[in-house]
Short mmCIF file of all heavy atoms in Angstrom, two decimals:
data_model
loop_
_atom_site.label_atom_id
_atom_site.label_comp_id
_atom_site.label_asym_id
_atom_site.label_seq_id
_atom_site.Cartn_x
_atom_site.Cartn_y
_atom_site.Cartn_z
N ALA A 4 -36.28 37.35 -68.88
CA ALA A 4 -37.02 36.13 -69.21
C ALA A 4 -37.74 36.32 -70.54
O ALA A 4 -38.49 37.28 -70.74
CB ALA A 4 -38.02 35.81 -68.10
N GLN A 5 -37.51 35.40 -71.44
CA GLN A 5 -38.09 35.52 -72.77
C GLN A 5 -39.58 35.17 -72.75
O GLN A 5 -40.02 34.26 -72.06
CB GLN A 5 -37.36 34.59 -73.74
CG GLN A 5 -37.76 34.82 -75.20
CD GLN A 5 -37.02 33.87 -76.13
OE1 GLN A 5 -37.16 32.65 -76.03
NE2 GLN A 5 -36.21 34.45 -77.03
N ILE A 6 -40.36 35.90 -73.57
CA ILE A 6 -41.80 35.64 -73.75
C ILE A 6 -41.99 35.06 -75.13
O ILE A 6 -41.40 35.55 -76.12
CB ILE A 6 -42.62 36.93 -73.56
CG1 ILE A 6 -42.52 37.42 -72.12
CG2 ILE A 6 -44.08 36.71 -73.95
CD1 ILE A 6 -43.12 38.77 -71.88
N CYS A 7 -42.82 34.05 -75.21
CA CYS A 7 -43.05 33.36 -76.49
C CYS A 7 -44.48 33.59 -76.96
O CYS A 7 -45.44 33.42 -76.19
CB CYS A 7 -42.78 31.87 -76.34
SG CYS A 7 -43.09 30.93 -77.87
N ILE A 8 -44.64 34.00 -78.24
CA ILE A 8 -45.95 34.08 -78.89
C ILE A 8 -46.00 32.93 -79.89
O ILE A 8 -45.29 32.94 -80.90
CB ILE A 8 -46.16 35.42 -79.61
CG1 ILE A 8 -46.00 36.59 -78.65
CG2 ILE A 8 -47.54 35.45 -80.27
CD1 ILE A 8 -46.12 37.95 -79.31
N ALA A 9 -46.82 31.92 -79.58
CA ALA A 9 -46.93 30.74 -80.43
C ALA A 9 -48.16 30.85 -81.31
O ALA A 9 -49.20 31.36 -80.89
CB ALA A 9 -47.00 29.48 -79.57
N VAL A 10 -48.05 30.39 -82.55
CA VAL A 10 -49.15 30.44 -83.52
C VAL A 10 -49.38 29.03 -84.03
O VAL A 10 -48.43 28.31 -84.38
CB VAL A 10 -48.82 31.39 -84.69
CG1 VAL A 10 -49.99 31.42 -85.68
CG2 VAL A 10 -48.48 32.78 -84.19
N GLY A 11 -50.66 28.61 -84.09
CA GLY A 11 -50.98 27.29 -84.58
C GLY A 11 -52.41 27.23 -85.09
O GLY A 11 -53.19 28.16 -84.94
N ALA A 12 -52.78 26.11 -85.72
CA ALA A 12 -54.11 25.96 -86.27
C ALA A 12 -54.48 24.49 -86.33
O ALA A 12 -53.61 23.61 -86.46
CB ALA A 12 -54.21 26.59 -87.66
N GLY A 13 -55.79 24.21 -86.22
CA GLY A 13 -56.34 22.87 -86.40
C GLY A 13 -57.31 22.87 -87.56
O GLY A 13 -57.30 23.76 -88.42
N ASP A 14 -58.22 21.88 -87.57
CA ASP A 14 -59.18 21.79 -88.67
C ASP A 14 -60.23 22.90 -88.61
O ASP A 14 -60.61 23.46 -89.64
CB ASP A 14 -59.88 20.42 -88.64
CG ASP A 14 -58.91 19.29 -88.94
OD1 ASP A 14 -57.89 19.58 -89.60
OD2 ASP A 14 -59.18 18.16 -88.50
N GLN A 15 -60.70 23.21 -87.39
CA GLN A 15 -61.78 24.18 -87.23
C GLN A 15 -61.35 25.47 -86.55
O GLN A 15 -62.03 26.47 -86.66
CB GLN A 15 -62.93 23.55 -86.41
CG GLN A 15 -63.51 22.28 -87.00
CD GLN A 15 -64.23 22.56 -88.31
OE1 GLN A 15 -64.79 23.64 -88.52
NE2 GLN A 15 -64.20 21.59 -89.22
N GLU A 16 -60.23 25.44 -85.85
CA GLU A 16 -59.84 26.59 -85.04
C GLU A 16 -58.36 26.92 -85.26
O GLU A 16 -57.55 26.05 -85.57
CB GLU A 16 -60.07 26.32 -83.55
CG GLU A 16 -61.54 26.13 -83.19
CD GLU A 16 -61.73 25.78 -81.72
OE1 GLU A 16 -60.80 25.16 -81.13
OE2 GLU A 16 -62.79 26.11 -81.17
N ALA A 17 -58.07 28.21 -85.09
CA ALA A 17 -56.69 28.69 -85.09
C ALA A 17 -56.44 29.39 -83.78
O ALA A 17 -57.38 29.90 -83.14
CB ALA A 17 -56.45 29.64 -86.27
N TRP A 18 -55.13 29.46 -83.37
CA TRP A 18 -54.88 30.01 -82.06
C TRP A 18 -53.57 30.77 -81.99
O TRP A 18 -52.65 30.56 -82.77
CB TRP A 18 -54.90 28.92 -80.99
CG TRP A 18 -54.08 27.70 -81.31
CD1 TRP A 18 -54.50 26.57 -81.92
CD2 TRP A 18 -52.68 27.51 -81.06
NE1 TRP A 18 -53.49 25.68 -82.08
CE2 TRP A 18 -52.35 26.22 -81.53
CE3 TRP A 18 -51.67 28.28 -80.49
CZ2 TRP A 18 -51.07 25.70 -81.46
CZ3 TRP A 18 -50.39 27.77 -80.39
CH2 TRP A 18 -50.09 26.50 -80.87
N LEU A 19 -53.55 31.69 -81.02
CA LEU A 19 -52.36 32.44 -80.64
C LEU A 19 -52.17 32.23 -79.15
O LEU A 19 -53.12 32.42 -78.37
CB LEU A 19 -52.53 33.93 -80.92
CG LEU A 19 -52.45 34.43 -82.37
CD1 LEU A 19 -53.07 35.82 -82.48
CD2 LEU A 19 -51.00 34.47 -82.82
N ALA A 20 -50.97 31.89 -78.73
CA ALA A 20 -50.70 31.65 -77.31
C ALA A 20 -49.57 32.54 -76.85
O ALA A 20 -48.55 32.71 -77.54
CB ALA A 20 -50.35 30.19 -77.06
N VAL A 21 -49.73 33.16 -75.67
CA VAL A 21 -48.71 34.01 -75.06
C VAL A 21 -48.23 33.28 -73.81
O VAL A 21 -49.01 33.09 -72.85
CB VAL A 21 -49.26 35.40 -74.72
CG1 VAL A 21 -48.18 36.25 -74.05
CG2 VAL A 21 -49.79 36.09 -75.97
N GLU A 22 -46.96 32.89 -73.79
CA GLU A 22 -46.40 32.13 -72.69
C GLU A 22 -45.30 32.94 -72.01
O GLU A 22 -44.48 33.57 -72.67
CB GLU A 22 -45.81 30.80 -73.17
CG GLU A 22 -46.83 29.90 -73.86
CD GLU A 22 -46.19 28.61 -74.33
OE1 GLU A 22 -45.16 28.19 -73.75
OE2 GLU A 22 -46.71 28.00 -75.28
N ASP A 23 -45.34 32.91 -70.68
CA ASP A 23 -44.27 33.55 -69.91
C ASP A 23 -43.86 32.64 -68.77
O ASP A 23 -44.56 31.68 -68.44
CB ASP A 23 -44.73 34.92 -69.38
CG ASP A 23 -45.82 34.82 -68.33
OD1 ASP A 23 -45.53 34.36 -67.21
OD2 ASP A 23 -46.99 35.19 -68.63
N SER A 24 -42.73 32.95 -68.18
CA SER A 24 -42.23 32.17 -67.04
C SER A 24 -42.18 33.04 -65.80
O SER A 24 -41.23 32.99 -65.01
CB SER A 24 -40.83 31.62 -67.35
OG SER A 24 -39.94 32.68 -67.73
N GLY A 25 -43.23 33.86 -65.66
CA GLY A 25 -43.27 34.81 -64.56
C GLY A 25 -43.81 34.21 -63.28
O GLY A 25 -43.75 33.00 -63.05
N VAL A 26 -44.40 35.09 -62.45
CA VAL A 26 -44.84 34.69 -61.11
C VAL A 26 -46.06 33.78 -61.15
O VAL A 26 -46.33 33.02 -60.21
CB VAL A 26 -45.14 35.94 -60.25
CG1 VAL A 26 -43.86 36.74 -60.04
CG2 VAL A 26 -46.21 36.80 -60.91
N GLY A 27 -46.88 33.86 -62.21
CA GLY A 27 -48.07 33.04 -62.31
C GLY A 27 -49.20 33.51 -61.40
O GLY A 27 -49.07 34.48 -60.65
N MET A 28 -50.32 32.80 -61.44
CA MET A 28 -51.51 33.14 -60.65
C MET A 28 -52.10 31.87 -60.06
O MET A 28 -52.02 30.79 -60.66
CB MET A 28 -52.57 33.83 -61.53
CG MET A 28 -52.11 35.13 -62.15
SD MET A 28 -53.29 35.76 -63.38
CE MET A 28 -53.01 34.61 -64.73
N ASP A 29 -52.73 32.02 -58.88
CA ASP A 29 -53.38 30.85 -58.31
C ASP A 29 -54.73 30.61 -58.98
O ASP A 29 -55.28 31.49 -59.67
CB ASP A 29 -53.52 31.00 -56.79
CG ASP A 29 -54.36 32.21 -56.40
OD1 ASP A 29 -55.45 32.43 -56.99
OD2 ASP A 29 -53.92 32.97 -55.50
N GLU A 30 -55.26 29.40 -58.77
CA GLU A 30 -56.50 29.01 -59.44
C GLU A 30 -57.68 29.88 -59.01
O GLU A 30 -58.54 30.22 -59.82
CB GLU A 30 -56.79 27.54 -59.15
CG GLU A 30 -58.01 27.01 -59.89
CD GLU A 30 -58.25 25.53 -59.64
OE1 GLU A 30 -57.39 24.91 -58.97
OE2 GLU A 30 -59.27 25.01 -60.10
N ASP A 31 -57.72 30.25 -57.75
CA ASP A 31 -58.83 31.07 -57.26
C ASP A 31 -58.84 32.43 -57.94
O ASP A 31 -59.90 32.95 -58.33
CB ASP A 31 -58.71 31.25 -55.74
CG ASP A 31 -59.85 32.07 -55.18
OD1 ASP A 31 -61.01 31.58 -55.20
OD2 ASP A 31 -59.60 33.22 -54.73
N PHE A 32 -57.67 33.05 -58.12
CA PHE A 32 -57.61 34.35 -58.79
C PHE A 32 -58.05 34.22 -60.26
O PHE A 32 -58.77 35.08 -60.78
CB PHE A 32 -56.19 34.92 -58.71
CG PHE A 32 -56.06 36.28 -59.31
CD1 PHE A 32 -56.35 37.41 -58.57
CD2 PHE A 32 -55.67 36.45 -60.64
CE1 PHE A 32 -56.24 38.69 -59.13
CE2 PHE A 32 -55.56 37.71 -61.20
CZ PHE A 32 -55.85 38.84 -60.45
N VAL A 33 -57.62 33.15 -60.92
CA VAL A 33 -58.01 32.95 -62.32
C VAL A 33 -59.51 32.79 -62.45
O VAL A 33 -60.15 33.36 -63.35
CB VAL A 33 -57.27 31.73 -62.90
CG1 VAL A 33 -57.81 31.39 -64.29
CG2 VAL A 33 -55.78 31.98 -62.96
N GLN A 34 -60.13 32.03 -61.54
CA GLN A 34 -61.56 31.76 -61.64
C GLN A 34 -62.41 32.95 -61.21
O GLN A 34 -63.46 33.21 -61.79
CB GLN A 34 -61.91 30.53 -60.77
CG GLN A 34 -61.27 29.24 -61.23
CD GLN A 34 -61.83 28.78 -62.58
OE1 GLN A 34 -62.98 29.07 -62.92
NE2 GLN A 34 -61.00 28.09 -63.35
N GLN A 35 -61.96 33.68 -60.19
CA GLN A 35 -62.83 34.69 -59.59
C GLN A 35 -62.51 36.13 -60.00
O GLN A 35 -63.42 36.95 -60.06
CB GLN A 35 -62.73 34.59 -58.04
CG GLN A 35 -63.09 33.24 -57.48
CD GLN A 35 -64.55 32.89 -57.69
OE1 GLN A 35 -65.40 33.78 -57.74
NE2 GLN A 35 -64.84 31.59 -57.81
N LYS A 36 -61.26 36.46 -60.29
CA LYS A 36 -60.89 37.86 -60.41
C LYS A 36 -60.20 38.24 -61.72
O LYS A 36 -60.17 39.43 -62.06
CB LYS A 36 -59.97 38.26 -59.25
CG LYS A 36 -60.61 38.14 -57.89
CD LYS A 36 -59.65 38.59 -56.79
CE LYS A 36 -60.29 38.51 -55.41
NZ LYS A 36 -59.37 38.94 -54.34
N LEU A 37 -59.62 37.28 -62.42
CA LEU A 37 -58.78 37.63 -63.56
C LEU A 37 -59.52 38.47 -64.59
O LEU A 37 -58.99 39.48 -65.07
CB LEU A 37 -58.23 36.35 -64.20
CG LEU A 37 -57.40 36.57 -65.49
CD1 LEU A 37 -56.18 37.45 -65.20
CD2 LEU A 37 -56.99 35.23 -66.09
#
């Protein structure tokens, strides 16, 4: 499965995004434990 590193910018902020198509995480894990 390919992983994508996306690069972009706006007026005030610039960003790097790491996207995968893996197993993912539930909302509770993201909020409480990640």
Side-chain angles (χ1 to χ4, degrees):
Q5 189 180 62
I6 294 172
C7 178
I8 303 177
V10 180
D14 294 335
Q15 302 293 329
E16 296 176 331
W18 48 268
L19 285 162
V21 179
E22 300 180 25
D23 68 69
S24 55
V26 296
M28 299 171 287
D29 60 46
E30 184 177 355
D31 181 68
F32 183 86
V33 172
Q34 295 293 332
Q35 302 294 330
K36 298 182 179 180
L37 176 60

